[in-house]
Amino acid sequence: MPEAKLHDGSTIEIEVHGAGPTVLLPVNPRPAEGPKADEMRKWGMDPALGRSLVEGLGDAFQVAAFDYEGHIMATPKADTLTPDTIAADLLAVADAVGADRFAYYGYSWLALSGLQLAIRTDRLSALVMGGFPPLGGPYDGMLKVTIATHELAAAAAHAPQDRQEPVEQPGDGQTPDEYDWDTAEVTISEPQARQFVTLYEALRGFDDRSVQPLISCPRLCFVGSADEISYGERWGDVHVSLAGPIINRRAELEALGWDVHVLDGLDHTQAMQPTHVLPVLRPWLLSQIGR
């Protein structure tokens, strides 16, 4: 199994499947099992999300799957997770599988990472961003949310053990529609939270309109029409609109060369599931880079 050496000296495993043009997928190719899988199903998530995407593309492409999010949560890059280092990490993965040119698909902050990669390299054959707008991205809102999350994580880390409240996991006794950010507890460590503050601090003032001419490859973005997230008071009462910028600026995006898909009625979690992603992603990749 190939491994890539990342910017901090750590290594990440890569699973390679199929043959043809290379597609980088920053997903966990190993299905979740047991209670974790049950919890994911409860929230409408495919426990084999990464594996399903790999299998859905592997007959037409060489798919390089690597769990980048899982890696940075296991090995936090608290002070070094920036657009530059993320792009370097993604290029290291491409190098490890011998791909001089490659397509990239990422969802949510991994879609943001794809945009940052695209403006730093000419090696991309295609870019697909899911669940994060290429124009009008909510960078300020996400910085506020990540700062608040970090403050909560830091406070929890310094609380006396005998005074810490039981941590409520998202979904405990709730349905997704009932989830309340006002009562939610932070379940990540201080270094895990701080790395995202580092990322969004580096993106403070980022002008995603001005960088559009730097993207030279075919590009697709998609989003669920209900992808709007309102964080509670403890997170600064921030509303993060992921669907709005794509829906409202669709004509501008298309004029800039983006293909745009809006998945009617789907929220952030629903729009990332393979049953919705593959019918958009696969035919588009075939039309752009398929043999």
Side-chain angles (χ1 to χ4, degrees):
M1 185 178 297
E3 289 187 346
K5 186 174 182 178
L6 303 184
H7 74 271
D8 62 342
S10 62
T11 58
I12 188 169
E13 292 185 344
I14 311 161
E15 285 195 12
V16 181
H17 299 266
T22 300
V23 180
L24 262 56
L25 291 183
V27 297
N28 187 353
R30 299 172 184 171
E33 299 177 345
K36 183 177 180 180
D38 293 339
E39 186 69 16
M40 292 178 71
R41 292 189 189 96
K42 177 180 176 180
W43 283 75
M45 299 181 69
D46 181 355
L49 187 151
R51 174 63 59 178
S52 298
L53 291 174
V54 169
E55 292 178 348
L57 299 174
D59 64 323
F61 304 97
Q62 175 180 268
V63 180
F66 56 106
D67 187 8
Y68 192 64
E69 182 169 59
H71 175 84
I72 70 161
M73 296 306 280
T75 312
K77 290 91 171 72
D79 299 310
T80 63
L81 192 73
T82 67
D84 284 333
T85 57
I86 290 172
D89 287 347
L90 298 177
L91 290 173
V93 170
D95 291 342
V97 299
D100 182 58
R101 288 186 61 77
F102 57 92
Y104 175 89
Y105 161 61
Y107 193 86
S108 195
W109 76 271
L110 292 166
L112 174 163
S113 300
L115 177 62
Q116 296 300 315
L117 174 65
I119 64 177
R120 287 169 169 80
T121 185
D122 60 0
R123 292 172 58 182
L124 278 180
S125 59
L127 169 65
V128 182
M129 294 179 63
F132 199 95
L135 278 180
Y139 298 101
D140 290 343
M142 288 308 303
L143 176 58
K144 292 177 183 176
V145 170
T146 53
I147 288 174
T149 302
H150 176 253
E151 290 173 348
L152 291 168
H158 289 97
Q161 289 296 317
D162 60 356
R163 294 181 59 189
Q164 289 187 8
E165 297 294 327
V167 174
E168 176 184 309
Q169 298 290 340
D172 285 352
Q174 305 173 26
T175 66
D177 290 340
E178 296 169 340
Y179 192 64
D180 184 0
W181 284 101
D182 287 323
T183 60
E185 295 296 330
V186 173
T187 61
I188 62 177
S189 70
E190 187 274 336
Q192 288 172 331
R194 180 152 44 100
Q195 65 188 339
F196 289 104
V197 176
T198 297
L199 173 60
Y200 285 104
E201 282 280 12
L203 288 166
R204 188 193 293 267
F206 176 65
D207 183 352
D208 50 19
R209 178 63 177 81
S210 70
V211 302
Q212 294 297 320
L214 300 177
I215 307 171
S216 58
C217 63
R219 67 217 74 158
L220 164 70
C221 64
F222 69 87
V223 71
S225 66
D227 198 343
E228 305 285 335
I229 306 172
S230 293
Y231 293 87
E233 182 178 355
R234 298 166 71 209
W235 278 262
D237 285 321
V238 174
H239 180 79
V240 173
S241 178
L242 298 166
I246 292 179
I247 294 172
N248 297 332
R249 302 179 71 170
R250 181 168 190 160
E252 185 179 0
L253 281 164
E254 291 175 341
L256 288 166
W258 289 88
D259 292 323
V260 180
H261 281 264
V262 177
L263 302 174
D264 190 43
L266 302 186
D267 63 20
H268 195 68
T269 299
Q270 293 166 336
M272 72 185 293
Q273 302 311 308
T275 52
H276 300 300
V277 172
L278 284 170
V280 175
L281 178 62
R282 179 185 166 88
W284 187 84
L285 285 175
L286 285 170
S287 72
Q288 299 298 326
I289 63 170
R291 290 178 177 174

